[in-house]
Amino acid sequence: MGTPLYSIPGPGAPTPESPAGAGQAAASGAAAARVPGAGEAHTVGEVLAQSQAAQVLDELDRELVGLAPIKARIRDIAALLVIDKLRANLGIQAQAPSLHMSFTGNPGTGKTTVALRMAQILHRLGYVRRGHLVAVTRDDLVGQYIGHTAPKTREVLKRAMGGVLFIDEAYYLYRPENERDYGQEAIEILLQVMENQRDDLVVILAGYKDRMETFFRSNPGLSSRIAHHLDFPDYAPADLLSIADKLLTQQNYRFAPGARATFAEYLAHRIRQPHFANARSVRNALDRARLRQASRLFAEVERRFTAEDLTTIESADIRASRVFQAAAASPQP
Amino acid sequence: MMTNPVRKITQGQFSFLPELTDAEIALQIQYGLDRGYAWSIEYTDDPHPRNTFWEMFGMPMFDLKDAAGVLAEVNSCRQTFPQHYIRLVAFDATRGIESIGMSFIVNRPAKEPGFGLIRQELHGRTMRYTVHSYASGRPEGERGGN
């Protein structure tokens, strides 16, 4: 064959023979193109400057309300990856940590949002190569007839390579009441890839806490291959209120004086009602308030509106909610 | 075959170069993915140059972001057909192109018997020529290797 007349560009090409650190090598190669002297970082600050992970962490702190335990864990993971990079620069070998995670928590506690951020952070730190998020549910993984499941699951896994695979409502994968259910097949393929191609993708399973616990009890192999079990707490009323503030600012609305207090009152009632979905309920409530604001303005045919009129949500817009009527009908003891 | 300096079948890209390593294949795949191509894997045991329609291994792979997925599929095809020719084909869906953008061989049988030239004498002194692949002289399953 002779010596090759060509060479691979970049200092470190990903070698499938030694998958440990392949992603890091590729990413440090990419970083080398952007920042001169990358790969020679010897302080945490240098690594952070090269990866711009600090920005993502700050954004996470700023834009996501509450979730203190989750943020702490993400910081820990980021710290580990930074230190690993410093070790790698000094030639100290270590196996890439397993970063498969499970997110448990009630509806609307920010599981999907955090998963999306996680993909960005891991990409900036060079743990995953592309940093995209593939969000799937049971339907995308499990087939409808014999021999359908394996190709379907493999295709999803291939799409998620180099990024994060987010399996929402993961407990639906396993249906104990039907022993011929194809979900088990999907789980087995998933396990195999989670173990063998740990550097190619990160799997995040999400679902409600109690059902995920049952799911993991019946699939101990899956549970033990997940290093990080993160539990998303419910938001405190004050957190929900500041989420409302952020949502309104994003859409260029604001509360009229007094409307914020009314909304706090609304939340206090809403939390006690069934099917409360944390941030999602807040967003829905605000959407409905916008509808009422629109029809209130719509009624004034002749009036010339100022920008302030169009962006202000009045106390009455919130007060008209059914939640208040229900609360009035059955007063709290 | 004697006129072929690399003594192996030369079809598609890179076929005059030494065999690509998996790392090099991954780089080529990534190049294609970055340009929005959809990769698919094809195999055959009849490498005749006019045999353009090879069997497809699995489905074409759309919406992939990273080469690892394609490479895993290549390796599973190599496991299934170790003594076949396997090539990677990239489909470019750009309007007006809608055709193959890249294509190169990633697996070959251990022994490549090559081709023979068959001469057919016709009326007068007319000659007709055709190329015959030695491999396809043997029944399926015995071509290539051994």
Side-chain angles (χ1 to χ4, degrees), chain A residues 279-326:
Chain A
R280 201 171 297 144
S281 289
V282 171
R283 194 181 62 204
N284 291 344
L286 290 177
D287 282 349
R288 286 192 297 271
R290 279 173 60 195
L291 286 182
R292 289 190 209 101
Q293 183 234 26
S295 47
R296 172 169 59 81
L297 297 179
F298 188 71
E300 301 177 66
V301 183
E302 297 301 325
R303 194 170 142 208
R304 204 173 254 273
F305 294 116
T306 61
E308 193 171 327
D309 292 331
L310 294 173
T311 55
T312 307
I313 290 196
E314 294 286 346
S315 183
D317 298 332
I318 298 160
R319 187 67 70 179
S321 166
R322 249 180 317 161
V323 171
F324 285 106
Q325 290 157 24

Side-chain angles (χ1 to χ4, degrees), chain B residues 29-140:
Chain B
I29 294 170
Q30 193 58 53
Y31 171 82
L33 289 178
D34 291 345
R35 297 179 61 118
Y37 297 166
W39 285 102
S40 49
I41 296 167
E42 295 180 337
Y43 65 92
T44 190
D45 56 2
D46 178 14
H48 192 284
R50 304 299 285 265
N51 175 19
T52 45
F53 297 108
W54 295 22
E55 253 82 26
M56 189 168 274
F57 185 82
M59 294 286 173
M61 288 168 268
F62 294 100
D63 303 327
L64 261 61
K65 292 275 195 308
D66 190 74
V70 182
L71 201 63
E73 200 72 359
V74 167
N75 283 326
S76 99
C77 185
R78 279 172 175 161
Q79 239 171 27
T80 320
F81 300 109
Q83 295 300 333
H84 280 54
Y85 289 93
I86 299 173
R87 71 179 174 198
L88 267 169
V89 173
F91 181 74
D92 183 352
T94 312
R95 177 114 172 98
I97 297 180
E98 291 145 330
S99 180
I100 301 303
M102 294 171 75
S103 161
F104 57 94
I105 295 178
V106 292
N107 193 65
R108 303 163 176 283
K111 245 192 246 155
E112 296 184 74
F115 301 99
L117 186 71
I118 292 174
R119 298 181 175 79
Q120 186 186 13
E121 247 181 295
L122 296 166
H123 51 84
R125 295 185 62 77
T126 312
M127 292 293 289
R128 271 190 173 171
Y129 303 97
T130 186
V131 166
H132 170 248
S133 132
Y134 290 123
S136 58
R138 271 175 284 166
E140 222 175 336

Side-chain angles (χ1 to χ4, degrees), chain A residues 6-27:
Chain A
Y6 53 90
S7 64
I8 303 173
T15 45
E17 288 83 27
S18 61
Q24 282 173 347

Side-chain angles (χ1 to χ4, degrees), chain A residues 41-82:
Chain A
H42 294 295
T43 68
V44 172
E46 281 167 24
V47 174
L48 285 178
Q50 280 163 16
S51 60
Q52 295 159 341
Q55 276 175 331
V56 188
L57 288 176
D58 286 347
E59 264 172 43
L60 195 75
D61 264 355
R62 224 174 327 114
E63 289 172 17
L64 297 188
V65 179
L67 297 178
I70 308 299
K71 285 176 184 169
R73 181 62 79 91
I74 292 177
R75 278 194 179 278
D76 288 350
I77 292 172
L80 174 68
L81 291 178
V82 167

